[in-house]
């Protein structure tokens, strides 16, 4: 037997130190004034330098000083990357410039960046690039920067198929890259931050402005494709709304009871666009290409299919992280470099931090990255422990679900104030059905576009699958989630699963060392 290498790729300590330093800088910037932020950053740099010198002196006395010094260099590289990304994020995120104070804004001329995102049941949030603003008297002021606009959900739905205009402005489908004119006022949101609450869409141009000419055609094509898909799936009823959520991330047609069922059973990650959707669609393209022209053609089709899906669905934090991992995996495959999932995740985190540092502080990124980290670290360790007693085909999905739940439990308990232990088993049973539903839905969409007469007949197939998924979820809804109100309860219930998961990692490490020591006696 050959002992498995325990070598840690350099990208792992770089990513770990970069993530820790980035969140440390972000926490300091949100809690302290500008002067104290600078002082804290200086103190942090001095402390890290002192720790590095102390570690270097300690390692120099050990038997392998070159390994420790190399690790310290990697850690310093990660801190430097984190400081660069944090500096970009601190100077650009949510910043705008205008002579008119924000509390006097009444009309905003802006360009939509992405589609409206859910913000509870009654509101949607839209990221916009601001160009001009007006006050109550109609005076126009130039402006620049990015803002978050809060729109009523009814206003967003009025521009979709089946929507009803309520007289509050034009009935417009809001699409990425298209200019909007919003009327409203600045108010405090539920977190105490200032936000522009739009009560009407005054106008929406159908042609991008001069500044958007470079992306005008792709964005108009994307908007047309999304609207065509929405119209098609709207005709399929509740199952079409569920399929639309899986394909595009839009939950406008998802039944409220279904959304609540997924949330209460710990299955919200299925509705959020992530690596599961991307890998599944890439696998479909790989399988179809392999059957048509061999594995080489399948590999060539998989990457364009994933890129198209990200372009069509929109670059959410979890989806961008999954795309970066796929690109790194394809690059290593072409170069013949063997790489493990942990190294791919670390590389994706570093790239994501440099490309979109604002995503690092989003809950979606933290949950998706934490869940995958739990699957890699805790899930694989638990699988190694139970592998001698339980078949891998059965142990692996359960261990992966446990690992994801353990790693994300602290964040879920602190942010949402509840935990759904039944989600461990619910994810094992529902995820395969949801994946099959997504593949079947793609077939239904293709058939409906090619032969519209068979649209309703093909829709009956996914309607049956949708009913089966709801039956399974209804079974797990009998086990209500744990509601956490006190801070002590959130901390205890959140970190206890994480500690249990780390115990699994420790036991796996100990058992692997025991097995490796016994290998020296095999064959005697």
């Amino acid at each position: 037997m050959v002992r498995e290498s325990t070598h840690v790729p350099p990208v792992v300590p770089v990513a770990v130190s970069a993530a820790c330093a980035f969140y440390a800088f972000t926490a300091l910037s949100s809690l302290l004034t500008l002067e104290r932020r600078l002082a804290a950053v200086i103190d942090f740099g001095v402390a890290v330098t002192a720790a590095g010198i102390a570690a270097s002196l300690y390692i120099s006395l050990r038997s392998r000083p070159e390994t420790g010094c190399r690790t310290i260099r990697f850690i310093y590289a990660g801190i430097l990357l984190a400081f660069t990304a944090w500096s970009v994020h601190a100077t650009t995120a949510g910043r705008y410039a205008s002579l008119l104070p924000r509390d006097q804004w009444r009309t905003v001329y802006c360009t939509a960046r992405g589609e409206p995102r859910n913000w509870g049941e009654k509101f949607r949030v839209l990221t916009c690039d601001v160009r001009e603003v007006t006050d109550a008297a109609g005076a126009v002021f130039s402006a620049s920067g990015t803002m978050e606009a809060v729109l009523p959900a009814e206003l967003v739905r009025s521009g979709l198929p089946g929507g009803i205009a309520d007289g509050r402005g034009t009935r417009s489908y809001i699409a990425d890259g298209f200019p909007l004119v919003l009327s409203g006022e600045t108010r405090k949101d539920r977190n105490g931050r200032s936000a522009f609450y739009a009560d009407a869409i005054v106008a929406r141009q159908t042609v991008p402005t001069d500044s958007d000419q470079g992306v005008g055609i792709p964005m108009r094509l994307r908007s047309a494709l999304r609207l065509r898909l929405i119209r098609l799936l709207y005709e399929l009823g509740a199952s079409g709304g569920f399929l639309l959520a899986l394909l595009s991330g839009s939950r406008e047609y998802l039944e409220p009871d279904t959304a609540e069922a997924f949330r209460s059973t710990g299955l919200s990650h299925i509705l959020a666009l992530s690596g599961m959707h991307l890998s599944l669609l890439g696998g479909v393209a790989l399988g179809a290409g392999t059957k048509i022209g061999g594995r080489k053609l399948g590999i060539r089709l998989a990457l364009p299919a994933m890129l198209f899906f990200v372009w069509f669905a929109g670059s959410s934090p979890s989806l961008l992280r999954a795309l970066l991992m796929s690109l790194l995996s394809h690059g290593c495959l072409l170069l013949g470099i063997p790489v493990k999932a942990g190294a791919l995740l670390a590389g994706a985190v570093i790239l994501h931090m440099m490309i979109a540092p604002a995503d690092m502080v989003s809950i979606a990124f933290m949950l998706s990255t934490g869940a995958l980290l739990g699957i890699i670290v805790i899930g694989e360790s638990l699988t190694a422990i139970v592998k001698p007693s339980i078949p891998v085909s059965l142990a692996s999905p359960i261990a992966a679900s446990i690992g994801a739940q353990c790693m994300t439990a602290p964040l879920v308990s602190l942010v949402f104030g509840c935990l759904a232990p039944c989600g461990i088993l619910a994810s094992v049973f529902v995820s395969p059905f949801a994946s099959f539903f997504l593949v079947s839905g793609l077939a239904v969409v293709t058939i409906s576009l090619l032969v519209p007469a068979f649209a309703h007949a093909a829709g009956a197939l996914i309607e049956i699958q949708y009913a089966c998924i709801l039956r399974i979820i209804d079974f797990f809804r009998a086990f209500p989630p744990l509601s956490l109100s006190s801070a002590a309860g959130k901390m205890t219930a959140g970190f206890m699963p994480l500690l249990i998961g780390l115990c699994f990692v420790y036991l796996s490490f100990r058992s692997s060392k025991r097995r490796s020591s016994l290998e020296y006696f095999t064959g005697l």
Side-chain angles (χ1 to χ4, degrees):
M1 296 179 65
V2 180
R3 184 177 179 179
E4 185 180 357
S5 175
T6 58
H7 172 69
V8 178
V11 69
V12 174
V14 173
V16 172
S17 61
C20 293
F22 182 88
Y23 288 121
F25 292 143
T26 303
L28 290 173
S29 65
S30 62
L31 296 176
L32 305 177
T33 61
L34 177 60
E35 294 78 7
R36 290 181 178 271
R37 292 179 203 171
L38 296 176
V41 170
I42 294 174
D43 293 341
F44 183 78
V46 172
V48 171
T49 303
I53 295 175
S56 300
L57 293 175
Y58 173 75
I59 293 174
S60 63
L61 302 176
R62 309 292 295 179
S63 58
R64 300 178 62 185
E66 68 283 354
T67 302
C69 294
R70 195 162 52 240
T71 302
I72 291 177
R73 289 197 294 268
F74 295 148
I75 293 175
Y76 272 110
I79 295 175
L80 179 61
L81 291 175
F83 183 77
T84 303
W86 171 79
S87 300
V88 174
H89 171 63
T91 55
T92 60
R95 300 300 176 90
Y96 56 88
S98 177
L99 294 177
L100 182 66
R102 187 164 183 174
D103 58 356
Q104 299 181 23
W105 291 7
R106 293 297 179 269
T107 305
V108 177
Y109 296 79
C110 57
T111 302
R113 289 300 175 216
E115 278 69 35
R117 307 182 301 275
N118 288 342
W119 202 55
E121 296 183 0
K122 298 182 179 180
F123 296 98
R124 301 292 183 267
V125 176
L126 178 67
T127 302
C128 306
D129 290 338
V130 185
R131 299 193 307 274
E132 292 180 346
V133 294
T134 66
D135 58 11
V140 180
F141 296 81
S142 62
S144 62
T146 304
M147 76 163 192
E148 301 286 335
V150 181
L151 292 81
E154 302 84 15
L155 187 62
V156 176
R157 296 192 190 102
S158 66
L160 299 174
I164 300 176
D166 56 3
R168 296 187 297 177
T170 61
R171 176 176 171 178
S172 303
Y173 170 59
I174 302 175
D176 184 15
F178 285 86
L180 296 169
V181 182
L182 306 175
S183 68
E185 61 180 357
T186 301
R187 301 199 303 264
K188 295 288 186 180
D189 63 12
R190 59 189 179 186
N191 296 321
R193 298 172 299 183
S194 296
F196 185 80
Y197 280 73
D199 54 21
I201 301 176
V202 180
R204 183 188 77 90
Q205 297 172 316
T206 56
V207 180
T209 59
D210 294 338
S211 62
D212 296 320
Q213 287 298 327
V215 296
I217 295 177
M219 289 305 161
R220 291 182 65 182
L221 176 61
R222 177 178 179 272
S223 174
L225 291 175
R226 285 178 65 94
L227 190 57
R228 179 71 181 91
L229 178 66
I230 291 174
R231 288 171 177 167
L232 174 64
L233 297 182
Y234 171 73
E235 300 294 333
L236 299 180
S239 60
F242 180 55
L243 180 58
L244 180 65
L246 296 180
L247 288 176
S248 68
S250 175
R251 303 185 187 182
E252 299 301 333
Y253 296 111
L254 186 66
E255 293 183 332
D257 186 65
T258 301
E260 175 60 24
F262 273 84
R263 188 197 66 81
S264 62
T265 53
L267 298 173
S268 297
H269 62 279
I270 294 179
L271 297 177
L273 296 179
S274 61
M276 182 190 78
H277 304 76
L278 192 64
S279 60
L280 184 62
L281 293 174
V284 171
L286 177 64
T290 301
K291 290 185 178 180
I292 295 174
R295 185 167 180 80
K296 288 186 177 180
L297 179 61
I299 295 176
R300 293 173 182 174
L301 289 179
L303 184 58
M306 290 188 290
L307 291 173
F308 174 81
F309 177 70
V310 173
W311 171 77
F312 175 80
S315 181
S316 64
S318 56
L319 201 56
L320 178 58
R321 187 267 310 157
L323 176 63
L324 291 175
M325 289 189 65
S326 299
L327 293 176
L328 289 175
S329 177
H330 276 73
C332 293
L333 181 63
L334 293 176
L335 296 175
I337 301 175
V339 63
K340 293 185 178 181
L344 289 176
L345 177 60
V349 169
I350 294 174
L351 291 177
H352 202 143
M353 183 184 300
M354 305 308 297
I355 296 173
D359 288 350
M360 296 289 293
V361 296
S362 68
I363 300 300
F365 175 84
M366 296 179 189
L367 287 176
S368 64
T369 306
L372 183 56
L373 180 62
I375 292 172
I376 295 173
V377 177
I378 300 177
E380 292 185 358
S381 299
L382 184 56
T383 302
I385 294 174
V386 301
K387 183 168 56 176
S389 304
I390 303 176
V392 177
S393 58
L394 177 61
S396 181
I398 299 178
S401 183
I402 293 175
Q405 294 280 347
C406 290
M407 189 64 72
T408 58
L411 186 61
V412 171
S413 62
L414 293 175
V415 175
F416 302 105
C418 66
L419 282 177
C422 65
I424 295 176
L425 289 179
S427 180
V428 174
F429 286 95
V430 176
S431 293
F433 282 91
S435 300
F436 186 75
F437 178 87
L438 182 58
V439 175
S440 301
L442 289 173
V444 169
V445 170
T446 304
I447 294 174
S448 301
L449 293 175
L450 296 177
V451 188
F454 291 96
H456 287 282
L461 173 64
I462 63 172
E463 185 67 33
I464 296 175
Q465 299 177 39
Y466 178 66
C468 293
I469 293 175
L470 291 184
R471 288 291 183 88
I472 299 175
I473 295 177
D474 286 339
F475 170 78
F476 287 101
R477 289 186 76 178
F479 308 94
L482 301 176
S483 297
L484 308 172
S485 56
S486 64
K490 293 179 180 179
M491 296 289 289
T492 303
F495 285 93
M496 186 62 69
L498 178 60
L499 293 177
I500 295 175
L502 295 179
C503 290
F504 291 146
V505 177
Y506 175 75
L507 292 176
S508 175
F509 176 73
R510 289 292 301 271
S511 62
S512 63
K513 288 188 63 176
R514 189 181 303 111
R515 287 194 301 268
S516 61
S517 62
L518 292 176
E519 290 173 3
Y520 293 103
F521 300 95
T522 56
L524 296 180

